[in-house]
Amino acid sequence: MSTIATVVNTVEQQKPRTEINGYKDFVTVKIDTETELRGSEKSAPASFPEYLPVWDNEKGQKLAPLQPFDHYDHGKDADPALPEILGKAEINDLTGTIGAEVKGLQLSQLSDAGKDQLALFVAQKNVVAFRDQDFASLPIPDALQIGSYFGRLHVHPASGAPKDYPEVHLVHRGAEDTTVKDFFESRTSSVTWHSDVTYEAQPPGTTFLYTLDNPKAGGDTLFLNMVAAYKRLSPEFAKRLEGLKAVHSGYEQATSTLERGGVIRRDPVKHEHPIIRTHPVTGEKALFVNPQFTRYIVGFKKEESDMLLKFLYDHMAYSQDLQCRVKWEKGTVVVWDVRCSTFAS
C-alpha cells in the first residue's frame, strides 16, 4: 500500500468561485441598507425603499420543500381576438421572430378577461415590454395579487426579497456591490442564457419583471425564442430529441450562494424535464434546456450528454435572428413565458 500526504501552505484567502459546474453566480447576498436609503456619490437614494432586499423573512427557519399543485393556464380561456390588448394599445414588434413593445395599456387595469388575453398574447410573442406602467407604484400586495392570477407565486431559495414579501424575487445591485467586478476577474463573458429555477418540479410560466431604479444605459436583457430554435432543427435531429429528458439542478446555486455568505431558504433540489416540451395553450413545441441549470441528459454517458448539450447551447447563442434585446426604461414591465423563451442579462 502506498500513501502520499500533501501539506498545503495557504498564502491567501480563497475567493468564492464564480462558476460551479456551469452555474454562473450573480446573486446579490447582502446590501448596505443605510447607503441605499441615503444614497452615495455613485448612486441616488432608493426610489422605492419598501423594495430593498432582506434575507431574513423566514427568521432563520428553513422552508419546507415545495409541494405539487394543480395549475390552470388562463390563456386557454382567452378571446383569440385579444380585444383588451389589441384594441387599446400601440403595439410594435421588437423583431420578426420574437418580442413586442406595448404602449397605451395599463396592466394594473386589466379585467380578468384581459389577463386571460395577456397570457395568450405573451405566449404568442414570447416576451412583451409594456411601457409607462404604474406597477412599481402599486402597493406590493396589489402587484402580488396580479401575479398570482397566473399561477402559484414562487419563493426563490436564495435571492433577496422585500421585507414581509418573500414572493418577490429582487434583482438588485447596490451602489457598492462588486459582484459583477468580481466575476470578471476570472471570466471574459457574463452571458448566461437561462430560465429561472428550472430545477423545480414545476418551473414558472407567465412571469413579470418590472424596473424600480435603473441606469440610463446598460442592464439590457436578451430574450430567445425557444419555439423558433426548435423549429430551426432538422426534422431528423428533432426526432432524436423527442422523449429525452435532462436533469436540472439547484445544488450548484445553493453551494455558490453559501460560499459567498448568502442564505438558502429551502434545501436544493433537482428534477428531470423533457428536452422538448409542448406549450399547454399554443400547442407549440420548444426546447427546454439552459446552461445555468441543466446538467446532463438522462441515459447518456457524460461525453455524449456534454456533446449534445453543447450543440444545443451553441445553437441558442448563435441564433441571433431568434433573439431580441429589451432596453429598460422607467415604468417598464416585461412579461414573458418561461415555457417558450429563455433570457440572458
Side-chain angles (χ1 to χ4, degrees):
M1 180 176 70
S2 176
T3 302
I4 299 177
T6 302
V7 178
V8 178
N9 294 312
T10 303
V11 295
E12 62 180 0
Q13 183 177 359
Q14 183 68 38
K15 293 183 178 180
R17 291 170 285 178
T18 57
E19 180 174 335
I20 299 177
N21 292 344
Y23 172 77
K24 296 181 180 179
D25 195 354
F26 292 96
V27 177
T28 298
V29 296
K30 61 182 177 180
I31 65 168
D32 183 340
T33 302
E34 290 302 318
T35 299
E36 297 291 327
L37 290 171
R38 70 171 182 269
S40 68
E41 294 182 359
K42 298 180 180 179
S43 180
S47 301
F48 299 89
E50 69 273 21
Y51 271 99
L52 286 176
V54 301
W55 285 265
D56 61 350
N57 277 316
E58 296 74 29
K59 308 303 179 186
Q61 299 297 310
K62 186 69 71 72
L63 296 179
L66 293 178
Q67 298 301 309
F69 68 100
D70 293 327
H71 172 72
Y72 184 79
D73 200 305
H74 289 283
K76 297 177 180 179
D77 299 330
D79 181 342
L82 308 177
E84 282 200 43
I85 306 294
L86 303 183
K88 298 182 178 181
E90 174 190 343
I91 301 175
N92 293 294
D93 287 338
L94 293 176
T95 74
T97 57
I98 177 175
E101 182 182 65
V102 175
K103 297 179 179 179
L105 175 71
Q106 200 60 249
L107 291 174
S108 64
Q109 303 303 313
L110 288 176
S111 66
D112 285 353
K115 295 187 185 79
D116 296 344
Q117 295 165 35
L118 175 64
L120 176 58
F121 181 57
V122 171
Q124 293 170 340
K125 292 293 185 181
N126 279 211
V127 57
V128 184
F130 293 88
R131 306 297 189 183
D132 305 316
Q133 299 296 303
D134 62 2
F135 233 74
S137 300
L138 296 175
I140 294 178
D142 290 0
L144 290 175
Q145 184 176 17
I146 294 172
S148 65
Y149 182 84
F150 300 91
R152 185 175 75 177
L153 299 178
H154 180 266
V155 176
H156 196 278
S159 74
K163 181 176 174 56
D164 298 327
Y165 298 105
E167 301 89 354
V168 177
H169 169 33
L170 286 173
V171 182
H172 183 86
R173 289 285 179 263
E176 311 302 323
D177 190 286
T178 63
T179 303
V180 175
K181 176 179 178 293
D182 295 342
F183 182 88
F184 280 118
E185 288 184 0
S186 62
R187 300 301 299 265
T188 60
S189 174
S190 64
V191 174
T192 52
W193 287 106
H194 68 289
S195 298
D196 287 331
V197 299
T198 57
Y199 47 74
E200 302 288 15
Q202 294 173 268
T206 305
T207 301
F208 288 68
L209 182 62
Y210 50 104
T211 183
L212 302 171
D213 289 310
N214 58 281
K216 293 181 179 179
D220 300 352
T221 305
L222 299 171
F223 289 88
L224 169 65
N225 185 336
M226 296 294 268
V227 172
Y230 167 76
K231 291 180 178 178
R232 184 66 57 81
L233 300 173
S234 68
E236 287 302 313
F237 192 89
K239 186 187 303 183
R240 182 64 188 90
L241 297 180
E242 289 285 354
L244 294 180
K245 293 184 177 181
V247 170
H248 296 238
S249 170
Y251 281 84
E252 294 78 9
Q253 183 180 71
T255 299
S256 180
T257 299
L258 292 174
E259 282 189 1
R260 298 177 58 239
V263 174
I264 293 299
R265 301 180 179 85
R266 196 167 51 244
D267 287 337
V269 296
K270 58 183 178 180
H271 287 98
E272 296 178 5
H273 296 300
I275 289 179
I276 298 174
R277 65 182 303 177
T278 301
H279 196 283
V281 175
T282 66
E284 294 180 309
K285 292 183 177 181
L287 292 177
F288 193 66
V289 293
N290 70 87
Q292 191 78 325
F293 299 118
T294 308
R295 291 293 159 256
Y296 60 87
I297 299 173
V298 177
F300 278 34
K301 293 184 177 180
K302 184 180 188 308
E303 293 85 354
E304 298 166 344
S305 175
D306 289 349
M307 178 182 64
L308 183 50
L309 287 175
K310 182 181 185 303
F311 168 80
L312 293 176
Y313 298 155
D314 287 347
H315 173 52
M316 293 160 55
Y318 297 154
S319 297
Q320 295 186 10
D321 59 323
L322 307 182
Q323 303 169 12
C324 69
R325 188 183 189 107
V326 174
K327 180 176 177 57
W328 292 93
E329 303 171 359
K330 182 178 179 180
T332 295
V333 177
V334 171
V335 189
W336 77 97
D337 196 317
V338 174
R339 297 163 296 187
C340 54
S341 61
T342 189
F343 70 98
S345 54

